[in-house]
Amino acid sequence: MTPDAPVVLLHAFPLNASMWAPQITALAGHQLLTPDFPGFGGRPVGPPDLDEFARVVLEEMDLARIPRAVVVGLSMGGYVALRIHALAPDRVAGMVLADTRAGTDDKEGRAKRIEQAARARKEGTGWLQDAMVPALLGETTRRDRAQVVKRVRELLGEADPEGVARALEAMGNRPDSVPRLAEIQVPVLALVGEEDTLTPEEEAKRISDGVWNGRLTVIPRAGHLSNLEAPGPFNDALLEFLG
Ligand code: MLT
């Protein structure tokens, strides 16, 4: 990896690009792009399709004159990073796939997404904070890091109902990236919070074992939102990979 490669940071669901605040200073030596996906961070909604999310990122790369970048995606951002690689492998110099999985949802998971999309359209997104914080944040953060809990609740509070509904539908329909892992010929770092229960370590290991040049780093005392929960170790792992 080149130490000054441009870096694209892709956010989790149902947050927005401002979740990357703890990474901005650490990555100051790099040209950085932190796009919001359609329906998040004030960007208009689009079709419920992660390939459309990937195309929006590729267009932003064009506008910023970035031919090739290290793509860093956390959770939903990781699903999109894998789609960017599938659609335009030449645009990807390396990938950091954090707290994510390469496989699809099971039947139950898909049904839950349909139910939650309907709820967002009917009730708005006020319920997301209580429903998601226990799953998004690790037990250490929920116990000891009140500021992080507050910030994540704020970010969840910004979510737009139709954006949430379409992202849920897009994630529920995403293609299986497991059969494609062996085709990924760029370096990949799989990162995972030790306390991530949504996409636990075995999912990260599946990615790092499946690609041609993969490595795995586990972030201690962090859950699913490892970049916000343990920014120091997250940034160290990122910078080591980039360098
Ligand atoms: C995320 O953090 O982006 C979500 O957990 C992804 C998902 O719901 O599969």
Side-chain angles (χ1 to χ4, degrees):
M1 205 72 43
T2 45
D4 55 354
V7 176
V8 179
L9 300 173
L10 302 178
H11 67 83
F13 169 87
L15 287 80
N16 56 63
S18 59
M19 70 169 247
W20 293 114
Q23 279 64 57
I24 303 296
T25 311
L27 291 171
H30 296 260
Q31 184 180 0
L32 264 189
L33 198 62
T34 58
D36 284 302
F37 292 129
F40 295 91
R43 188 188 280 271
V45 292
D49 179 354
L50 290 189
D51 282 10
E52 185 56 27
F53 287 25
R55 279 189 282 272
V56 164
V57 176
L58 288 165
E59 277 166 25
E60 291 248 348
M61 287 172 67
D62 291 342
L63 287 173
R65 297 179 194 281
I66 297 177
R68 205 158 182 256
V70 176
V71 181
V72 179
L74 193 140
S75 199
M76 177 174 75
Y79 307 157
V80 178
L82 287 163
R83 294 312 302 157
I84 291 173
H85 186 275
L87 294 174
D90 295 349
R91 310 288 304 266
V92 181
M95 279 194 281
V96 179
L97 298 171
D99 301 286
T100 193
R101 71 176 78 234
T104 50
D105 294 344
D106 58 19
K107 212 170 144 204
E108 247 174 52
R110 239 172 261 137
K112 190 171 168 202
R113 295 210 197 265
I114 290 169
E115 199 185 292
Q116 289 187 327
R119 186 169 181 195
R121 288 193 172 107
K122 191 161 166 234
E123 296 175 28
T125 51
W127 52 276
L128 277 178
Q129 293 168 328
D130 289 342
M132 291 201 70
V133 163
L136 289 176
L137 298 176
E139 55 172 325
T140 304
T141 300
R142 280 182 275 128
R143 189 184 59 229
D144 299 336
R145 300 180 182 121
Q147 284 307 316
V148 177
V149 177
K150 185 169 171 266
R151 182 64 191 133
V152 169
R153 289 185 73 89
E154 279 165 11
L155 286 166
L156 293 173
E158 291 169 18
D160 168 73
E162 186 58 26
V164 163
R166 292 196 195 190
L168 284 163
E169 290 163 352
M171 288 192 287
N173 290 330
R174 72 187 187 278
D176 190 0
S177 293
V178 173
R180 289 202 63 262
L181 286 177
E183 292 167 25
I184 298 176
Q185 299 286 316
V186 292
V188 173
L189 170 65
L191 272 184
V192 62
E194 174 189 38
E195 299 171 5
D196 184 349
T197 52
L198 284 179
T199 48
E201 185 177 334
E202 60 261 28
E203 295 293 347
K205 193 165 174 349
R206 192 178 195 190
I207 293 173
S208 59
D209 286 350
V211 298
W212 160 79
N213 177 3
R215 64 175 106 149
L216 170 68
T217 298
V218 179
I219 312 274
R221 293 178 296 284
H224 188 64
L225 297 181
S226 56
N227 75 305
L228 283 163
E229 295 181 58
F234 185 97
N235 293 347
D236 289 349
L238 199 55
L239 290 171
E240 194 197 329
F241 179 71
L242 291 168

